[in-house]
Amino acid sequence: MTDQYHIYGIGAALVDTEITVTDDDLTRMGVDKGVMTLVDEARQAELIGYLQDHDIASQRASGGSGANTIIAAGYFGCRNFYSCKVAGDENGEFYLNDIRDADVVYPSTLGSHEGITGKCLVMITPDAERTMNTFLGISATVSVAELDEAAIAASQWAYIEGYLVSSDTGRAAAIKLRELAEANNTRTALSLSDPAMVKFFGDGLAEMIGGGVDLLFCNGDEALGYTGTETLEDAIAALKPIAKTFAITLGAKGSVVFDGSNLLEIPTEQAKAIDTNGAGDMYAGAFLYALTQGEPMQRAGEFANKAATKVVTQYGPRLRAEQHEELKAQYF
C-alpha cells in the first residue's frame, strides 16, 4: 500500500515580518542576536514601534520552522499533512491560504479557534544573520488534540519542530507524535531548531528525542550545545547513539551527513547571503523530499545544500513555487 503522505509535520504557525536592522539597533533594543527569543505581544509591539522607520525586507509570510520545512517539501512535490494552530483572525486566514497553495493538508478544525495567530518579528543584520522575537499567540497551546493518528500512520516520515519544546503542551504533543510514529512504523525526524532552544530547554529536547530518532537536523552550534562538546568530531560521536542518521549544517561550509554507516562531508556552492532566515528549514525540506524520492543520503545532502544556498540569496524564509521547480530541474 502506498503511503497517503510523504511527511506529517507538527510545529508553530507564525506569520513573519522581516525588517532590516543594524547591530546597533539590536543593542539599543536589548535583543540577543542570532537566536529566537519568546516575547509577549506588548514587547513585540514595542520593538515594531522602534523599527517603524526601518525597511521591511519581507512583508507577512507564513512561517514557523516546521511549516517552512513542510511547505518547501510540498512545493518540491511531497504530499504533506501539518498539525499546528492558528486563530480565526486575519493572520490565521492568510496562513491557511498560504499552506493550501503548497497543497498541505491540515486538520479541519484549524482556524476555528478564538485567540491571536502567532507572529514573528525577524530582524536581518548586514551580515545576513537572522534574529527572531516571537509572540507565539495561539501556537503556544498546540497540543496532542491537534494530532491525527490516521494521518501519522499513513505517512512515510513524522517531522518534529524543536521549538515545540518551549511549550508544555507542545512538548507533550511532540513526544506523543514520536510515539505514534514509532508504533505505526513511520520514520521520525526532528530538528533542534535554534541554539537558544538547546541552551534553555535541553532536557525537554531529550524527552522529545526519547530513545532516539531516525533522522536529526541541526546546525554546528546546536550540535555542540546539545551534546556539551567543544569539537564537531566529539559532537558527531555523541549524536550517533540518539539518531540513526543526522545532518549538521555548517553554513558556507556545506553540511556533514551521517548515513548510519558513513560520515559524508558535503560541500556547497558559494553565494552572497543576504538573509539566513529559513535556511535550515529549507535544508530539511529539500533533504526530506530527496529521501522520499528514494535518493541516498549523499544526494539528499547535495540537493539540500543547493536549496539552502538559494534561499539565503533573497529575503524571506521561502522560495517561490517556480524556484522549487528550477532546483528540481537542475538536480533530478
Side-chain angles (χ1 to χ4, degrees):
M1 174 180 155
T2 302
D3 289 311
Q4 184 177 358
Y5 303 109
H6 290 106
I7 310 168
Y8 181 108
I10 186 171
L14 306 170
V15 174
D16 292 352
T17 297
E18 289 196 359
I19 298 179
T20 55
V21 300
T22 65
D23 286 344
D24 284 344
D25 287 325
L26 297 180
T27 300
R28 291 192 188 100
M29 292 185 292
V31 170
D32 292 332
K33 182 178 177 178
V35 297
M36 190 282 286
T37 302
L38 293 174
V39 296
D40 59 21
E41 193 174 22
R43 170 60 172 162
Q44 194 176 70
E46 176 189 338
L47 295 172
I48 291 171
Y50 176 91
L51 297 168
Q52 61 184 341
D53 296 328
H54 287 57
D55 290 335
I56 294 178
S58 176
Q59 178 75 53
R60 213 163 68 148
S62 64
S65 176
N68 287 337
T69 292
I70 292 296
I71 291 170
Y75 275 115
F76 282 128
C78 285
R79 301 182 306 276
N80 300 329
F81 190 106
Y82 191 61
S83 286
C84 60
K85 211 164 183 182
V86 298
D89 55 9
E90 184 186 356
N91 277 336
E93 184 57 34
F94 170 83
Y95 195 94
L96 293 182
N97 287 334
D98 227 11
I99 61 175
R100 280 191 209 109
D101 287 345
D103 291 328
V104 175
V105 180
Y106 53 84
S108 60
T109 57
L110 192 59
S112 63
H113 302 284
E114 291 186 7
I116 302 171
T117 297
K119 297 174 286 186
C120 182
L121 175 61
V122 185
M123 293 161 279
I124 310 298
T125 39
D127 60 359
E129 181 62 88
R130 96 288 183 268
T131 299
M132 299 180 290
N133 272 221
T134 301
F135 168 59
L136 286 173
I138 200 169
S139 270
T141 66
V142 167
S143 70
V144 294
E146 276 67 64
L147 297 176
D148 185 319
E149 185 171 1
I152 296 166
S155 300
Q156 290 183 22
W157 286 92
Y159 181 77
I160 301 168
E161 174 192 299
Y163 284 120
L164 289 172
V165 72
S166 66
S167 156
D168 288 342
T169 58
R171 184 171 65 255
I175 293 167
K176 185 65 174 177
L177 171 54
R178 174 179 51 74
E179 292 171 346
L180 289 171
E182 291 167 350
N184 287 284
N185 296 315
T186 297
R187 285 172 286 179
T188 55
L190 181 142
S191 170
L192 293 183
S193 291
D194 192 276
M197 296 299 101
V198 170
K199 180 178 179 180
F200 297 112
F201 299 99
D203 290 345
L205 285 169
E207 288 182 65
M208 286 164 54
I209 292 169
V213 292
D214 292 303
L215 174 58
L216 182 76
F217 291 103
C218 59
N219 65 27
D221 289 342
E222 292 155 6
L224 296 175
Y226 185 76
T227 59
T229 56
E230 295 185 0
T231 68
L232 189 60
E233 291 73 20
D234 287 345
I236 287 167
L239 288 176
K240 288 180 180 179
I242 64 169
K244 293 178 183 176
T245 63
F246 52 81
I248 304 173
T249 57
L250 302 171
K253 295 180 180 178
S255 56
V256 174
V257 172
F258 178 63
D259 68 1
S261 300
N262 302 301
L263 194 65
L264 312 170
E265 295 185 11
I266 306 176
T268 192
E269 299 170 6
Q270 297 306 298
K272 173 61 177 173
I274 64 170
D275 177 8
T276 57
N277 182 34
D281 305 333
M282 176 59 69
Y283 182 96
F287 198 101
L288 286 168
Y289 168 73
L291 292 184
T292 64
Q293 304 310 299
E295 295 292 337
M297 289 258 171
Q298 174 81 31
R299 291 266 295 171
E302 291 168 355
F303 183 60
N305 278 352
K306 188 179 288 287
T309 297
K310 182 66 176 178
V311 83
V312 301
T313 63
Q314 60 192 46
Y315 285 109
R318 304 227 309 274
L319 297 173
R320 299 185 302 277
E322 64 270 19
Q323 289 178 303
H324 291 83
E325 290 302 320
E326 290 166 4
L327 283 167
K328 281 173 61 179
Q330 293 171 23
Y331 207 77
F332 291 97

